[in-house]
């Protein structure tokens, strides 16, 4: 069984949905198809929730109305028979009745998550009805029946696997299954989600849960590129990546794949293919357990980084100092990205400033603390074996005119990270593109 995930833009227009139907029926493989909400829907639902949170019912109502009209137009173009169009309209109406009820009841976080779940529920039902219309037999698997998170709000892969397998044995005559990305139930049994962009994560978890032969992530670009196409003129899709390389890239900027979606596939050794709905024949990017060449594969950048330097003479010849520093970040659930140390100072970077002031107050107990906001991590990803000389030299040669605040090398063999200010990002990516890829 394969798992194929189609993102919001791949199902965001009626003609795209028609094309997805063609793509999933062109071979005989049995498959689970994971769908996102139609593009724009989750943003609209977030925005409806925001209006409700500030008790602006009028605003929420007009946003619900606008979204409803969007679906009405969508249905008109999606179906060619009035019978299925009516059935779809009735289904959509029920979801909008629910949204309208939220105007009348008291708002809370659990209700907000119910609201956010409507997008994937509607897209999968629309698609299933469309498949029925064109005579493709497919079975809708409600994700809320098997996608589970635990008390740490992390997906419970064992439980997902157990539940999903139990459902699938009962459905042994179907070969195409449709399910919702992103949504799940939490340990309290409430509707929840895997965070924005979480449909990729669903696909990887579902793939791992059933030990799929392959996981395909279909988007609107032809795989992961060697550099950010929004920043530099010339980029190319990377043919092959290892899981470790893909994880670094997904985390440090390549928006095409949700970073959390690497581990389930990697754990089970399931090949992940990144493919393009607009260009289905293109090879895309294959992420697998195979070792890749010992080269620089790609560059990525992550903005909005804050660097924090803690200088303390107490660190000199002391042990346990770093633990105390890290404990503060742990206490405020703030992940650290980069770390560099000297004998009397340690610099770390974070990308979430929610608890910055509290963290700084506690760090000041240890020594002097300096903060630089608006930094960018430039990340060079590849397979860097120490025997291959000159990689670092090459990077530095490209960046002679760029101010570099931190450097991290040797943490893993797949990543060399440099910290610079946001204003230098474009120039850094361009220079590296020319220098490392001759582009
Ligand atoms: N619909 C959700 C979002 O827009 C999940 C996803 O598309 O991956 O974030
Ligand atoms: Mg996405």
């Amino acid at each position: 069984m394969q798992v194929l995930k189609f993102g919001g833009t791949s199902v965001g227009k009626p003609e795209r949905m028609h094309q997805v139907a063609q793509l999933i029926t062109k071979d005989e493989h049995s498959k689970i198809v994971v769908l996102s909400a139609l593009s724009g829907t989750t943003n609209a639902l977030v925005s409806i929730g925001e209006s409700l949170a500030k008790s602006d019912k009028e605003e929420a109502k007009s946003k619900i109305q606008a979204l409803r009209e969007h679906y009405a137009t969508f249905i008109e173009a999606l179906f060619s028979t009035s019978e299925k169009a009516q059935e779809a309209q009735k289904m959509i109406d029920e979801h909008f009745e629910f949204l309208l009820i939220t105007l009348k009841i008291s708002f809370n976080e659990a209700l907000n998550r119910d609201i956010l779940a409507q997008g994937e529920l509607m897209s999968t039902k629309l698609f299933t009805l469309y498949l029925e219309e064109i005579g493709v037999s497919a079975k809708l698997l409600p994700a809320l029946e098997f996608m589970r998170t635990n008390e740490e709000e992390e997906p419970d892969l064992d439980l997902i696997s157990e539940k999903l397998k139990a459902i699938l044995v009962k459905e042994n005559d179907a070969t195409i299954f449709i399910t919702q990305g992103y949504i799940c139930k939490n340990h309290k049994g409430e509707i929840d989600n895997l965070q924005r962009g979480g449909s990729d994560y669903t696909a990887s978890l579902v793939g791992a849960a059933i030990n799929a032969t392959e996981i395909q992530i279909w988007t609107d670009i032809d795989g992961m590129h060697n550099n950010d196409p929004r920043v530099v003129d010339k980029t190319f899709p990377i043919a092959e990546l290892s899981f470790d390389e893909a994880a670094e890239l997904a985390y440090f900027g390549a928006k095409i794949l949700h970073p959390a979606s690497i581990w389930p596939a990697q754990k089970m050794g399931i090949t992940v293919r990144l493919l393009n709905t607009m260009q289905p024949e293109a090879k895309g990017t294959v992420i697998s357990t195979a070792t890749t060449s010992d080269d620089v594969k790609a560059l990525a950048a992550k903005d909005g980084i804050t660097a924090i330097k803690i200088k303390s003479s107490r660190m000199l010849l002391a042990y346990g100092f770093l633990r105390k520093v890290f404990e503060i970040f742990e206490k405020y659930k703030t992940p650290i990205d980069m770390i560099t140390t000297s004998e009397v100072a340690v610099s770390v970077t974070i990308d979430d400033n929610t608890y910055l002031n509290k963290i700084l107050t506690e760090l000041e107990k240890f020594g002097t603390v300096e903060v630089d906001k608006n930094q960018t991590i430039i990340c060079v990803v590849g397979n860097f074996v120490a025997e291959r000389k000159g990689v670092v030299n090459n990077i530095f040669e490209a960046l002679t005119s760029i101010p570099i605040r931190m450097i991290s090398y040797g943490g893993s063999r797949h990543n060399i990270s440099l910290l610079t200010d946001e204003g230098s990002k474009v120039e850094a990516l361009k220079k590296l593109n020319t220098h490392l890829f001759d582009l």
Side-chain angles (χ1 to χ4, degrees), residues 52-213:
L52 290 171
K54 58 175 184 173
S55 298
D56 193 338
K57 311 246 158 166
E58 276 312 305
E59 191 181 78
K61 195 175 170 187
S62 71
K63 286 174 183 173
I64 293 170
Q65 229 48 63
L67 191 62
R68 191 172 197 162
E69 277 155 32
H70 177 69
Y71 276 82
T73 323
F74 194 95
I75 287 171
E76 259 174 54
L78 181 65
F79 297 96
S80 50
T81 62
S82 61
E83 184 206 338
K84 279 292 165 201
Q86 274 167 21
E87 211 179 310
Q89 191 55 55
K90 201 163 153 257
M91 175 278 289
I92 292 292
D93 283 345
E94 284 167 19
H95 288 274
F96 280 92
E97 287 314 317
F98 164 73
L99 288 175
L100 290 170
I101 287 172
T102 66
L103 298 171
K104 299 195 181 110
I105 55 182
S106 70
F107 182 78
N108 58 39
E109 261 319 300
L111 180 64
N112 196 32
R113 292 190 303 251
D114 272 0
I115 294 173
L116 294 177
Q118 302 308 307
E120 271 71 11
L121 291 171
M122 292 194 288
S123 66
T124 46
K125 288 184 191 169
L126 279 176
F127 186 60
T128 311
L129 284 172
Y130 173 66
L131 291 178
E132 276 174 25
E133 179 176 65
I134 59 169
V136 173
S137 91
K139 172 91 192 146
L140 186 63
L141 294 179
L144 298 178
E145 285 178 14
F146 60 87
M147 289 301 293
R148 286 287 182 281
T149 51
N150 59 24
E151 293 187 15
E152 278 85 52
E153 295 170 30
E154 297 295 335
D156 188 335
L157 183 54
D158 291 336
L159 191 57
I160 293 170
S161 179
E162 189 188 304
K163 286 184 176 287
L164 182 53
K165 282 179 183 160
I167 296 171
L168 289 173
V169 284
K170 285 190 244 147
E171 303 288 351
N172 50 11
D173 47 346
T175 56
I176 299 179
F177 297 93
I178 314 295
T179 194
Q180 298 87 18
Y182 178 60
I183 62 173
C184 61
K185 281 198 175 167
N186 61 27
H187 73 283
K188 291 186 245 166
E190 299 163 343
I191 293 184
D192 210 327
N193 60 65
L194 301 176
Q195 311 289 330
R196 294 305 305 274
S199 294
D200 295 345
Y201 201 6
T202 301
S204 182
L205 289 162
V206 166
I210 59 163
N211 206 355
T213 47

Side-chain angles (χ1 to χ4, degrees), residues 5 197 200 255-256:
K5 178 257 169 178
D200 295 345
K255 294 280 176 297
I256 173 169

Side-chain angles (χ1 to χ4, degrees), residues 245 291-297 382-389 391 413:
E245 290 166 339
T291 2
T292 57
S293 60
D294 56 352
D295 274 333
V296 173
K297 304 287 180 351
N383 190 9
F384 306 121
V385 284
E387 294 72 38
R388 193 184 159 101
K389 300 173 199 123
V391 178
R413 54 191 262 192

Side-chain angles (χ1 to χ4, degrees), residues 352-372:
D352 178 356
N353 287 349
T354 315
Y355 300 106
L356 181 62
N357 289 335
K358 289 190 172 143
I359 290 171
L360 295 179
T361 311
E362 296 210 28
L363 287 173
E364 273 155 11
K365 286 186 247 159
F366 298 127
T368 45
V369 180
E370 279 170 39
V371 181
D372 285 315

